[in-house]
Amino acid sequence: ELCDGELQATFLLSGHVLGACSLTLDTSEGRVFFTGDYSVDAQRTVDSIVVPPVRPHVVVTEATYGNRLHANRKAEEFRLAEAVAQVVGGGGKVLIPAFALGRAQEVLLILLSEMRAGRIPRFPVFVDGMVRNVCQIYTLFPEFLGERLRKQVEREGNPFFYEGSPARAVAQGERESVPLGEPCCIVSSSGMLMGGPSQFYAAELAGDARNAIFITGYQDEESPGGKVLALADAKEPTLRLMDRVVHFACKIAKYNLSAHADAGQIAALVAQLGPRLCYLVHG
C-alpha cells in the first residue's frame, strides 16, 4: 500500500532477466498495468511473465520488437551450441560477447547443458568481465529463478561453476594467456564490444580463420559489435579495436536468443488483459 492506502502496488515477475518485474497500480481512478521488459517464453534462467489475475483499465507495454517475430528458441539454442562445438573441434576459439546480466548466463547454461546431455563434446568455457561477478549473484536469489534452475542451485550451489564444470572464471592476470591456449569458448562482457575484456578477445582472435565471434544479443549499429556484424559481408573486413586496426578472418554469425516478447506475444498478452487503453513504449 502507498499514500496511506490510496494506492496499491502489486509486483509480479516478468521474465526477461533475473529480478525483472511488472507493476499493477490500483488507484481511485482505475487500474494501470506497467510491464517494463518481459518475455513470454520461459528461459533457462527465469520463467515467463506472470500475468496479473485482474483486468487493468490501462496497459503500458514494451514494444522492443515492434512488428517482428522470433525464430524458434530451442532451435537457435542448439544451432549455437553446435556451431561452438564445431569451431572448437576444429582447433579454434569462439568469443561470445554477452550482456553481463541475463544473456551471458543463458549462453553458459545452453553450453553446459548440451555438454552434460552429451549432444556436444566437452570443452573449456572461460568466463570473463562483469559476467564473473553477476554469475555469483544467481545463487543468492533462487526464489526469482525458473523452477529447474532453482532446484539446481539448491542441489549444487553455483549453477555455472559447480564442481567438475567445464566453465571457469578467468583469474586476474591470466587473461592474456587464454587466446594463446587450448581451443575453447569465451563468454565475456561487454555485449556490444564497447569495452571490457570482450574487446580484447575479439582483437586477439579475429585474425585466425579457425576462430569465430558469435553474437547473441542486440547490437547498436554504431557499436563495435554492430560494426563486427557488418563485416560479415565486407570486402575489406578491418576494424579498429583496442587502438589498433584489426583484420577479421574469423567466422562471424548471429543467433537470436532474445529475452523480449515478439509482436505476436505482445498482441496476445494485451488481448488477454483486455484494457480500455494500451500504450506501446520502448519500441
Side-chain angles (χ1 to χ4, degrees):
E1 290 192 350
L2 305 172
C3 303
D4 296 324
E6 289 184 26
L7 308 173
Q8 186 174 50
T10 306
F11 292 89
L12 293 171
L13 292 175
S14 60
H16 189 61
V17 295
L18 176 67
C21 64
S22 65
L23 169 66
T24 302
L25 193 64
D26 283 286
T27 80
S28 60
E29 297 180 33
R31 178 181 293 127
V32 179
F33 177 65
F34 176 85
T35 66
D37 292 337
Y38 63 96
S39 55
V40 170
D41 291 329
Q43 300 177 74
R44 291 177 184 260
T45 52
V46 290
D47 288 331
S48 59
I49 185 172
V50 177
V51 180
V54 294
R55 184 169 180 172
H57 301 96
V58 176
V59 167
V60 182
T61 172
E62 66 129 311
T64 303
Y65 271 79
N67 63 352
R68 290 172 289 170
L69 300 176
H70 293 322
N72 181 275
R73 173 75 180 213
K74 292 298 181 186
E76 285 292 282
E77 289 182 357
F78 184 68
R79 197 167 70 89
L80 171 64
E82 200 172 38
V84 173
Q86 189 173 25
V87 171
V88 175
K93 300 177 181 69
V94 178
L95 169 65
I96 304 180
F99 304 128
L101 172 62
R103 190 57 45 83
Q105 289 75 33
E106 287 287 319
V107 168
L108 288 171
L109 291 177
I110 290 167
L111 296 176
L112 294 175
S113 66
E114 292 299 307
M115 288 188 216
R116 271 185 159 180
R119 287 186 284 267
I120 60 174
R122 185 182 171 96
F123 51 80
V125 180
F126 292 98
V127 181
D128 206 349
M130 196 184 296
V131 179
R132 295 172 305 184
N133 299 330
V134 175
C135 282
Q136 305 294 343
I137 293 172
Y138 276 65
T139 60
L140 302 178
F141 299 96
E143 67 273 24
F144 297 142
L145 300 174
E147 183 179 4
R148 179 181 293 182
L149 187 59
R150 181 171 65 250
K151 289 180 178 178
Q152 185 179 343
V153 168
E154 292 168 352
R155 187 174 63 250
E156 301 177 352
N158 192 300
F160 312 104
F161 306 125
Y162 51 86
E163 185 177 352
S165 171
R168 72 181 186 88
V170 177
Q172 192 72 26
E174 70 173 350
R175 182 173 298 152
E176 285 72 17
S177 66
V178 174
L180 303 175
E182 61 187 319
C184 63
C185 178
I186 304 161
V187 180
S188 178
S189 51
S190 74
M192 294 193 201
L193 297 173
M194 296 182 74
S198 65
Q199 195 175 88
F200 162 76
Y201 290 120
E204 292 295 311
L205 301 183
D208 191 332
R210 294 176 299 173
N211 298 335
I213 298 176
F214 291 155
I215 304 293
T216 63
Y218 171 75
Q219 303 293 316
D220 186 274
E221 289 181 6
E222 296 303 313
S223 70
K227 292 175 181 178
V228 166
L229 276 178
L231 291 178
D233 301 317
K235 293 181 179 179
E236 296 290 335
T238 59
L239 184 66
R240 180 172 288 277
L241 289 174
M242 302 288 291
D243 293 325
R244 72 179 198 251
V245 176
V246 177
H247 174 74
F248 277 73
C250 68
K251 182 179 180 181
I252 300 168
K254 186 174 184 354
Y255 300 85
N256 183 6
L257 301 180
S258 175
H260 292 270
D262 68 11
Q265 293 167 335
I266 295 169
L269 178 68
V270 174
Q272 182 179 349
L273 292 170
R276 297 176 188 170
L277 287 171
C278 177
Y279 293 94
L280 302 176
V281 297
H282 190 171

